[in-house]
Structures are given as C-alpha cells and as structure tokens.
Amino acid sequence: QVQLVESGGGLVQAGGSLRLSCAASGTIFSINDMRWSRQAPGKQREVVAHITSTGWTDYAASVKGRFTISRDNAKNTWYLQMNSLKPEDTAVYYCNADVIRQWRFNADEYWGQGTQVTVSS
C-alpha cells in the first residue's frame, strides 16, 4: 500500500513564503506525474502545479511566477515553494501522484490528507 503525507502548512502574512512537502511511502517502484492542488471553502478544487517524470512543469495562471514545484526521486518526495503569498491563496493544499507499485505494471493515483495554508492581510 502507498501513503502520501503533506507537511509545511501554516499561517503566514501576505507577501510571505511557505514550502510544502509531500512524502510518499510504501511498496513503490516509481512515481510518474506529481501534483499539488488546493480547495478553498465554497470553491472547486484546482490543480495549481504539476511536474512530470521528465521534469516538465505546468502551473495554474493564478500562481504562475509565484509558486515552484520540484521533486526528489531518491526520496519519493515533492515540494511546492510558495512566494509572494496572497490572502486568496488561503486553502487546504493536497498532493497527489501517479504511482507504480512494486510487482505491478499500471500506475494508480494516490492523494494525501491535505494541509491548511492561511494567508492573513
């Protein structure tokens, strides 16, 4: 079985920075695409950052230029560096990934439990 755990959330003032981490554990052979998503109260969940196995990245327009996604394959971990934070960035942030487990061919999608990010004005 595979488990994803987020960390690094908290309370920060507008203009500040946070770095979120997501660590995957279990019977993992490899991880393909990794993502960060967020959901604010009354709003739909949205993907804010995406990174492929080859290192290609993509971002939502609302965070482009402020957020950076990266990955450490040796640690089965990926990160979201968030700079110039705004109150509208306040949300629960979730990591997810497409994981190939040991002794299996196909990838399955797994999600973390979420971590709260609150940006005060």
Side-chain angles (χ1 to χ4, degrees):
Q1 194 170 359
V2 174
Q3 183 178 9
L4 276 57
V5 179
E6 300 101 334
S7 62
L11 176 64
V12 65
Q13 293 187 51
S17 298
L18 285 173
R19 190 173 84 147
L20 306 182
S21 300
C22 184
S25 61
T27 55
I28 297 169
F29 174 73
S30 66
I31 303 176
N32 293 334
D33 290 28
M34 300 171 172
R35 305 172 193 86
W36 286 97
S37 303
R38 68 185 183 187
Q39 187 166 25
K43 300 185 69 176
Q44 296 181 3
R45 186 177 298 190
E46 63 172 341
V47 178
V48 298
H50 171 208
I51 185 167
T52 70
S53 60
T54 60
W56 180 86
T57 58
D58 192 29
Y59 300 91
S62 58
V63 308
K64 190 171 296 183
R66 300 187 297 120
F67 291 10
T68 302
I69 187 171
S70 60
R71 61 190 288 165
D72 186 337
N73 292 329
K75 297 180 179 179
N76 287 329
T77 300
W78 57 109
Y79 308 93
L80 186 68
Q81 179 66 48
M82 304 185 292
N83 299 324
S84 301
L85 283 162
K86 305 174 181 179
E88 51 263 44
D89 294 319
T90 297
V92 177
Y93 284 72
Y94 300 88
C95 62
N96 81 292
D98 303 317
V99 179
I100 302 176
R101 297 170 63 189
Q102 290 279 5
W103 316 114
R104 286 171 169 78
F105 177 77
N106 293 321
D108 296 302
E109 188 175 40
Y110 292 87
W111 288 82
Q113 80 289 345
T115 185
Q116 177 71 48
V117 172
T118 303
V119 184
S120 62
S121 59

